[in-house]
């Protein structure tokens, strides 16, 4: 214990010497502001396949409610944000190997993920819903998905909700088709490859709005969730700064304004 204390003091001294006064230090290529203790730049991973939270805009750039929110948080906390777009099920792995520093992706702060990462305070209440063909009057609850073919976006809580044996599973006996993108799951439904898609409520609404003659949303409130920003475990300074900025944007109405702007309501 004592020895550890000494090593820690030594490490802190080295860190202080390296960081100098009022400047920035550079350890492992990450510049840290010596006053705030925060990185000057944060690489934020997302999966821009999830409107209105994140999607690729007409210029090929990631945009959406989450992207605007993390920019706002970065501005207030004093770090630059760089967005990295990747597969949803690669996000947490990439964060664990240092490829990205943070995740904002309509990601549900669920218990399983909390074992691996820290989450900020929540910023959006959501839940899983079903999308079915417009003329389907058979599927009304998650239970009705039993023995049916259902498409999901791989690695999402929608996937887990119908995956037998998972803690989050709400219905057994589903034949799950895992797709890389939510939009692909919807196309498969329209083409008759599956009977339902399980996905978060607002993206479901947007996908249905794009094909109103073919598909509809079915709501069963069995799976309620909250989105939060994921960070590696133990980065307390960063987490506190994010939570402080988040509390501010909630309080001063900025979050509501963004929700309005991006139709995230
Ligand atoms: N809320 C769900 C989850 O956390 C789905 C998130 C999907 N997000 C995305 N950007 N594709 O698993």
């Amino acid at each position: 214990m004592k020895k550890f204390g000494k090593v820690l003091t030594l490490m802190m001294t080295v860190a202080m010497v390296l960081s100098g006064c009022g400047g920035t230090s550079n350890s492992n290529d990450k510049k840290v502001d010596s006053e705030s203790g925060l990185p000057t730049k944060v690489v934020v991973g997302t999966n821009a396949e999830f409107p209105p939270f994140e999607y690729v805009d007409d210029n090929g750039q990631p945009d959406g409610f989450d992207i605007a929110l993390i920019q706002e948080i970065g501005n207030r906390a004093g770090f630059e944000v760089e967005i990295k777009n990747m597969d949803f099920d690669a996000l947490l792995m990439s964060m664990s190997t240092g490829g990205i520093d943070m995740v904002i992706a309509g990601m549900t702060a669920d218990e399983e993920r909390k074992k691996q990462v820290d989450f900020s305070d929540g910023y959006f209440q959501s839940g899983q819903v079903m999308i079915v063909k417009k003329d389907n009057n058979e599927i009304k609850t998650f239970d009705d998905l039993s023995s049916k073919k259902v498409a999901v976006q791989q690695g999402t809580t929608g996937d887990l909700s119908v995956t037998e044996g998972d803690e989050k599973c709400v219905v057994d006996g589903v034949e799950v088709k895992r797709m890389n993108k939510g939009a692909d799951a919807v196309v498969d439904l329209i083409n008759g490859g599956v009977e339902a898609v399980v996905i978060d409520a607002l993206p479901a609404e947007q996908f249905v709005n794009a094909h109103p003659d073919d598909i509809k949303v079915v709501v069963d409130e069995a799976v309620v969730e909250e989105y939060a920003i994921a960070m590696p475990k133990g980065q307390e300074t960063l987490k506190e700064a994010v939570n402080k900025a988040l509390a501010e944007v909630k309080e001063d109405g900025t979050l509501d304004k963004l929700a309005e702007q991006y139709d995230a309501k």
Side-chain angles (χ1 to χ4, degrees), residues 22-127:
T24 55
S25 75
N26 198 341
S27 66
N28 295 335
D29 271 359
K30 293 247 185 276
K31 287 194 175 150
V32 172
D33 184 282
S34 60
E35 243 165 66
S36 67
L38 292 172
T40 53
K41 185 169 113 183
V42 172
V43 181
V44 182
T46 196
N47 169 243
E49 298 291 344
F50 200 64
F53 297 98
E54 43 268 333
Y55 48 86
V56 175
D57 71 12
D58 296 340
N59 304 316
Q61 295 304 313
D63 195 5
F65 176 80
D66 281 351
I67 310 300
L69 174 60
I70 197 65
Q71 299 284 6
E72 185 66 39
I73 288 174
N75 287 345
R76 292 181 189 226
F79 55 78
E80 187 196 327
V81 169
E82 183 190 319
I83 302 289
K84 238 185 182 173
N85 192 11
M86 61 185 74
D87 285 347
F88 185 77
D89 66 350
L91 286 165
L92 293 188
M93 174 70 84
S94 175
M95 194 162 74
S96 75
T97 56
I100 52 178
D101 307 311
M102 211 180 258
V103 172
I104 192 159
M107 184 173 271
T108 303
D110 85 336
E111 294 311 314
E112 216 30 56
R113 291 175 181 149
K114 281 184 195 162
K115 292 180 192 160
Q116 248 185 294
V117 299
D118 278 351
F119 280 103
S120 69
D121 294 333
Y123 65 85
F124 197 87
Q125 306 285 336
S126 181

Side-chain angles (χ1 to χ4, degrees), residues 129-132 134 186 189-190 199 201-218:
V129 299
M130 291 160 277
I131 309 176
V132 299
K134 205 159 180 192
V186 172
L189 170 70
I190 293 171
I199 195 163
L202 286 195
E205 227 175 79
Q206 297 234 347
F207 288 132
V208 168
N209 285 342
H211 307 274
D213 297 332
D214 303 314
I215 52 178
K216 65 181 178 188
V217 172
V218 175

